[in-house]
């Protein structure tokens, strides 16, 4: 498995890519459920280890960036997504947390009621009315900024151009544009007759129709609309409950879904869910779940929000659908981080709204647990929002042709031939040729060049794609052979940019050994572990010469001895590589023992890389103090500020708590600054941090002074 830090970065990159495909290109490459799964995994990682959180994380955003084809619209009130629940226990847990929060605030003195409605499978939009007239419509976009699709929305006959009986100064109506199933089928019939591409499902058709540059094309598409809430509102009194608000919107001439109810408690919510699940196929339109909202609108702010979703509402998703097909083969894919993933090749089957021809099998243990044999008849599950998976085999059909055979994991990487390894207690096998393996090439180069590693400014994802695809770079060592002429010949790469990149590559030759170790992308070796290793080892040769088995035995013996010394009240003896456990030692042994990696390390040495000892401690002026850095500092990056703090003996944390001594705040500091104020933590600027590091005594709380 990847380290938590590596996994978080992998997840953030994947989710950003899927956001772009879904919201900008209208061409999603993964089902909604796979996105949900990755999002929940990233959210759990960031909650468990706040230091992993990043301000540009998808968990801090909603949706994706708007297309450049439309003008941008800033939403006065953000259009938030909803958190998802996938079973009854999750719903009950959310309801319990809501009640506990209200009780803490002394609000839940009367019965807590909910409004339950449908979760439409369409495209979220916002309609702005001024004095009753429709003036602008926008997509959700990234939740803060959407696309101006006013002209297209004006063609949707379900949307009134003027409200009925009310003329508020401003009213933003939130809702969903969708397409009824029968209209979708007729649209695809017309597409087939015209020899044009068919749409995959009604949601895809609605999204594509809404984002046509020619409104006449949108007008020819049978789009519908259901309102489900409001955003900004001015000069109008809205109902006190959400259920009342929906009735009010319907009275104002806006379409509101008829399938909704008010529920007294979670059990009635679950009863509504089961009714709608049973009626799902009979509805005129697609839904992928139901939505529960606390009915009293004045309690919403008290219940609050998480980074991207309200706590007073949750979407309860429907389970998957299933079909039978044949498991034709099991192939191995090598991921960008070296993970070997078995992939089932299936006889294509239509299930959950799409044709499924493959499914991930996760790992060797999953195949064994399900008792799968190649040639089996299997149950495949996939609803419109669930990644395809093999649920189980049907062994009773094994007497029929074709013959069955068992699957075996390869003993070497199928891409590069390097050794594969599986750590104790883990389910995944991995290729250990991280610097050499073609499957890991792009990821290894991007990691090597990132700011916290070798800091090669200008070497981004698109350029790495070109360099690898053109065969110019195979390993990180090849970067140091690039010249201006070669780079300038690449697409979208001028002479000045090429010269700047060559200069940045040259500068990276003088790096701290800790940064270099981190740049190698060794499994489990993050920045902290790299710093610990750099204090003991001076170069790759010393790491390659290490007797890792002897080191592990020595550490184990000393740890056992120290346990006895502590029991006797004696001081413990120093342990080599304190904090580096057997998993990291095993990873180091595999990495530096792999001949392919050793070849690349030798090539990097030959390219002229040398170690600058800028990771040596510079003093202890900040010893015993914990810092949190937030915002954009005037002259240094956040990583540089962290390095300054650590070099002078301080500790760096990712979140603000009562144990924090100082918050170093720059421009656009956000929630961490607010949290510091709440807790009374001292807030300083960059210059005050430098003064502290230089032994300048207690720092002034400059931000507080300015604002007071």
């Amino acid at each position: 498995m990847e380290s938590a830090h590596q996994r978080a970065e992998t997840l953030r990159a994947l989710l950003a890519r899927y956001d772009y495909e879904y919201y900008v290109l209208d061409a999603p490459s993964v089902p909604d459920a796979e996105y949900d799964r990755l999002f929940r995994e990233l959210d759990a990682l960031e909650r468990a280890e706040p230091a992993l959180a990043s301000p540009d994380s998808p968990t801090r955003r909603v949706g994706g960036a708007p297309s450049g084809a439309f003008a941008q619209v800033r939403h006065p009130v953000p259009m938030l997504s909803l958190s998802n629940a996938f079973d009854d226990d999750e719903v009950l847990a959310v309801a319990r947390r809501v009640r506990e929060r209200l009780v803490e605030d002394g609000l839940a003195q009367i019965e807590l009621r909910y409004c339950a409605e449908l979760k439409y499978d369409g495209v979220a939009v916002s309609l702005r009315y001024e004095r009753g007239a429709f003036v602008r419509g926008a997509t959700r976009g990234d939740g803060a900024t959407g696309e101006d699709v006013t002209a297209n929305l004006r063609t949707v006959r379900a949307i009134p151009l003027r409200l009925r009986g009310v003329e508020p100064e401003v009213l933003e109506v939130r809702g969903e544009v969708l397409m009824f199933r029968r209209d979708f089928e007729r649209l695809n019939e017309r597409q087939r007759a015209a020899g044009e591409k068919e749409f995959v499902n009604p949601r895809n058709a609605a999204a594509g129709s809404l984002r046509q540059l020619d409104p006449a094309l949108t007008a020819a598409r049978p789009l519908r609309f259901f309102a489900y809430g409001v955003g900004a509102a001015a000069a109008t009194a809205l109902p006190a409950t959400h259920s009342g608000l929906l009735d009010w919107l319907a009275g104002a001439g806006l379409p509101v879904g008829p399938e909704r109810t008010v529920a007294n408690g979670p059990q009635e919510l679950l009863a509504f869910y089961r009714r709608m699940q049973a009626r799902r196929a009979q509805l005129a339109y697609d839904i992928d779940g139901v939505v529960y909202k606390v009915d009293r609108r004045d309690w919403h702010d008290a219940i609050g929000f998480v980074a991207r979703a309200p706590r007073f509402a949750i979407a309860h998703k429907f389970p998957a659908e299933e079909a039978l097909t044949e498991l034709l083969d099991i192939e191995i894919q090598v991921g960008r981080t070296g993970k070997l993933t078995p992939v089932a090749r299936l006889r294509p089957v239509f299930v959950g709204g799409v044709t499924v021809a493959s499914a991930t099998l996760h790992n060797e243990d999953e195949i064994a647990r399900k008792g799968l044999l190649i040639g089996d008849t299997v149950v495949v599950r996939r609803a419109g929002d669930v990644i395809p998976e093999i649920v189980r085999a049907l062994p009773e059909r094994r007497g029929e042709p074709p013959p069955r055979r068992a699957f075996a994991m390869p003993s070497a990487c199928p891409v590069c031939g390097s050794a594969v390894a599986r750590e104790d207690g883990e389910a995944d096998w991995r290729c250990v040729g991280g610097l050499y393996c073609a499957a890991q090439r792009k990821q290894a180069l991007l990691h090597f060049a990132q700011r916290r590693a070798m800091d090669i400014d200008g070497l981004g994802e698109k350029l790495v794609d070109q360099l690898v695809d053109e065969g110019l770079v195979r390993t990180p060592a090849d970067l140091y052979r690039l010249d201006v002429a070669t780079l300038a010949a690449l697409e979208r790469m001028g002479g000045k940019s090429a010269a700047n990149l060559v200069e940045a590559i040259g500068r990276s030759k003088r790096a701290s050994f800790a940064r270099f170790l981190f740049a190698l992308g060794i499994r489990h070796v993050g920045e902290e572990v790299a710093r610990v290793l750099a204090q003991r080892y001076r170069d790759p040769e010393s790491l390659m010469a290490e007797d890792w088995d002897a080191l592990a035995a020595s550490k184990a013996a000393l740890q056992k001895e120290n346990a006895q010394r502590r029991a006797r009240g004696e001081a413990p003896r120093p342990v080599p590589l304190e904090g580096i456990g057997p998993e990291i030692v095993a990873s180091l042994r595999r990495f530096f023992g792999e001949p392919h990696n050793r070849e690349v390390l030798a090539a990097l040495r030959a390219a002229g890389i040398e170690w600058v000892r800028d990771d040596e401690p510079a003093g202890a002026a900040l010893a015993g103090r914990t810092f949190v850095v937030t915002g954009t500092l005037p002259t240094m990056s956040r990583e540089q500020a962290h390095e300054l703090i650590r070099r002078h003996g301080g500790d760096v944390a990712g979140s603000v708590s009562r144990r924090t001594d100082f918050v170093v705040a720059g421009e656009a500091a956000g929630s961490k600054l607010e949290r510091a104020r709440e807790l009374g933590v001292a807030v300083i600027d960059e210059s005050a941090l430098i003064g502290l590091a230089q032994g300048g005594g207690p720092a002034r709380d400059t931000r507080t002074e300015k604002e007071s």
Side-chain angles (χ1 to χ4, degrees):
M1 296 174 62
E2 298 166 283
S3 69
H5 173 81
Q6 291 169 329
R7 184 58 178 162
E9 290 206 343
T10 298
L11 290 169
R12 279 193 281 268
L14 281 172
L15 292 170
R17 169 188 158 194
Y18 296 154
D19 279 346
Y20 180 79
E21 292 173 345
Y22 189 104
Y23 292 99
V24 177
L25 302 181
D26 285 331
S29 62
V30 295
D32 290 351
E34 171 63 355
Y35 185 98
D36 290 340
R37 184 185 69 80
L38 296 175
F39 187 95
R40 286 156 68 89
E41 182 182 351
L42 177 60
D43 190 53
L45 277 174
E46 292 179 347
R47 288 174 182 273
E49 294 191 43
L52 296 177
S54 169
D56 60 354
S57 173
T59 61
R60 304 296 188 267
R61 300 175 57 210
V62 184
S67 167
F70 297 91
Q72 296 187 14
V73 175
R74 186 78 178 176
H75 299 304
V77 177
M79 294 185 70
L80 300 179
S81 294
L82 295 178
S83 298
N84 294 322
F86 294 89
D87 57 43
D88 293 0
D89 289 341
E90 288 185 85
V91 173
L92 295 174
V94 169
R96 183 174 63 253
R97 288 195 295 270
V98 167
R99 175 163 288 282
E100 288 171 353
R101 196 170 185 89
L102 290 172
V103 169
E104 287 174 1
D105 292 340
L107 294 175
Q109 301 302 318
I110 63 175
E111 188 166 18
L112 177 57
R113 304 176 74 189
Y114 294 84
C115 180
E117 52 195 306
L118 301 182
K119 185 178 185 301
Y120 307 106
D121 196 11
V123 183
V125 298
S126 176
L127 312 177
R128 183 179 177 90
Y129 289 85
E130 294 180 2
R131 289 175 289 280
F134 175 57
V135 297
R136 190 172 66 207
T139 62
R140 181 170 62 187
D142 65 0
T145 303
E147 296 170 333
D148 189 336
V149 288
T150 306
N152 291 349
L153 286 171
R154 284 182 177 275
T155 71
V156 179
R157 294 181 179 272
I159 296 175
L161 299 182
R162 177 168 289 278
L163 299 177
R164 186 173 60 196
V166 292
E167 295 185 352
E169 181 178 335
V170 174
L171 180 70
E172 274 196 305
V173 178
R174 303 287 168 78
E176 199 93 355
V177 169
L178 66 161
M179 190 176 289
F180 281 19
R181 292 197 194 103
R182 64 175 182 272
D183 296 330
F184 167 75
E185 291 166 1
R186 292 169 185 162
L187 173 62
N188 265 351
E189 287 175 3
R190 295 201 300 270
Q191 295 289 106
R192 285 193 296 271
E196 296 179 0
K197 182 180 178 180
E198 295 181 40
F199 291 97
V200 174
N201 52 48
R203 193 218 70 85
N204 177 263
S209 301
L210 187 60
R211 300 180 68 257
Q212 292 291 326
L213 295 180
D214 182 0
L217 293 176
T218 305
R221 304 281 174 81
L223 297 178
R224 312 294 183 107
F225 174 79
F226 283 136
Y228 56 64
V230 298
T236 186
L238 296 176
T241 64
H242 183 70
S243 56
L245 175 67
L246 295 178
D247 292 337
W248 185 89
L249 290 171
L254 288 152
V256 177
E259 304 294 343
R260 61 185 192 274
T261 189
V262 174
N264 295 312
Q267 293 303 328
E268 291 188 17
L269 292 177
L270 296 177
F272 176 79
Y273 171 88
R274 294 184 181 98
R275 289 199 304 273
M276 292 301 102
Q277 184 178 7
R279 294 187 51 203
R280 181 182 184 185
Q282 284 73 50
L283 295 175
Y285 40 83
D286 285 349
I287 60 174
D288 55 6
V290 298
V291 175
Y292 311 135
K293 299 176 183 175
V294 171
D295 201 30
R296 279 189 58 163
R297 298 176 64 241
D298 60 338
W299 281 357
H300 290 182
D301 286 340
I303 297 168
F305 302 79
V306 292
R308 65 183 289 278
R311 287 193 175 99
F312 56 82
I314 191 167
H316 191 177
K317 293 291 197 77
F318 288 136
E321 298 172 353
E322 298 180 347
L324 295 183
T325 189
E326 182 186 346
L327 176 58
L328 301 176
D329 201 357
I330 298 177
E331 300 174 357
I332 292 294
Q333 289 184 350
V334 182
R336 296 179 66 176
T337 60
K339 176 182 174 182
L340 275 61
T341 301
V343 176
R345 298 305 177 196
L346 306 169
R347 189 173 301 284
V349 60
F350 192 79
V351 56
V354 300
T355 299
V356 173
S358 63
T360 179
L361 291 169
H362 302 293
N363 51 59
E364 186 180 31
D365 291 347
E366 180 80 354
I367 296 172
R369 183 180 68 80
K370 293 180 177 178
L372 300 178
L373 297 178
I374 296 169
D376 272 344
T377 299
V378 295
V379 177
V380 178
R381 174 187 295 154
R382 190 223 188 259
D385 53 5
V386 177
I387 187 172
E389 65 169 330
I390 293 179
V391 182
R392 61 188 180 277
L394 299 181
E396 62 271 20
R397 299 198 178 190
R398 285 178 181 162
E400 306 169 5
R404 274 67 173 172
R405 59 187 173 88
F407 167 78
M409 288 292 291
S411 58
C413 174
V415 174
C416 72
S418 297
V420 298
R422 176 177 176 175
E423 295 183 5
D424 291 341
E426 293 196 356
D428 297 319
W429 289 83
R430 292 180 182 274
C431 168
V432 303
L435 295 180
Y436 176 84
C437 182
Q440 303 174 65
R441 190 164 291 160
K442 293 180 180 180
Q443 178 68 23
L445 290 168
L446 288 169
H447 180 80
F448 185 85
Q450 68 166 286
R451 184 169 56 185
R452 299 194 304 277
M454 301 302 281
D455 193 17
I456 303 177
D457 187 34
L459 189 61
E461 187 170 355
K462 291 183 179 179
L463 183 54
V464 165
D465 286 344
Q466 287 191 75
L467 292 171
V468 172
D469 294 343
E470 295 287 337
L472 297 173
V473 174
R474 297 174 60 252
T475 75
D478 294 333
L479 294 172
Y480 297 94
R481 301 189 184 97
L482 296 173
D483 54 39
V484 174
T486 300
L487 290 169
L490 295 174
E491 185 180 355
R492 298 187 299 276
M493 192 73 176
K496 183 176 180 180
S497 297
N500 290 339
L501 179 57
V502 169
E503 182 181 349
I505 293 172
R507 285 196 305 269
S508 74
K509 290 182 179 181
R510 290 177 55 81
S512 72
F513 191 48
R515 279 178 173 265
F516 178 77
L517 283 175
F518 174 62
L520 296 180
I522 306 169
R523 183 161 160 73
H524 298 313
V525 178
E527 293 173 88
E528 291 296 334
V529 171
R531 273 190 279 271
V532 173
L533 290 169
Q535 291 171 6
R536 179 181 174 93
Y537 303 97
R538 297 293 172 175
D539 50 42
E541 288 77 16
S542 58
L543 280 158
M544 286 188 279
E546 177 66 84
D547 186 337
W548 296 105
D549 291 332
L551 177 68
S554 173
K555 281 173 63 71
L558 277 171
Q559 288 165 349
K560 182 177 180 180
E561 178 185 340
N562 283 340
Q564 296 170 347
R565 293 174 70 89
R566 290 189 187 96
R568 296 193 299 265
E570 300 174 4
R573 293 175 58 190
V575 176
L577 299 181
E578 186 70 49
I580 294 183
E583 297 86 358
I584 300 175
V585 170
S587 182
L588 291 166
R589 181 197 300 113
R590 285 192 291 266
F591 183 89
F592 288 105
E594 171 56 48
H596 290 143
N597 291 336
R598 295 166 77 101
E599 291 171 9
V600 177
L601 288 168
L604 285 167
R605 281 291 245 171
I609 289 182
E610 56 184 348
W611 326 127
V612 180
R613 302 307 300 176
D614 61 358
D615 57 342
E616 294 286 356
L622 306 182
R625 295 175 174 179
T626 299
F627 294 78
V628 172
V629 183
T630 184
T632 303
L633 303 182
T635 67
M636 65 175 73
S637 68
R638 196 172 299 184
E639 289 75 23
Q640 290 170 328
H642 290 172
E643 189 169 310
L644 173 70
I645 292 166
R646 292 188 180 105
R647 288 181 60 213
H648 289 81
D651 293 321
V652 176
S655 60
V656 181
S657 69
R658 299 189 186 279
R659 299 177 183 175
T660 306
D661 294 293
F662 295 101
V663 168
V664 184
E667 291 299 320
S671 59
K672 292 178 182 177
L673 177 60
E674 296 301 321
R675 181 63 173 163
R677 290 174 178 149
E678 291 175 8
L679 298 177
V681 174
V683 179
I684 62 176
D685 59 15
E686 180 189 292
S687 62
L689 171 64
I690 295 171
L692 271 179
Q694 294 172 347
R700 297 181 298 111
D701 186 341
T702 54
R703 180 63 65 95
T704 302
E705 287 179 4
K706 290 177 183 177
E707 294 183 351
S708 61

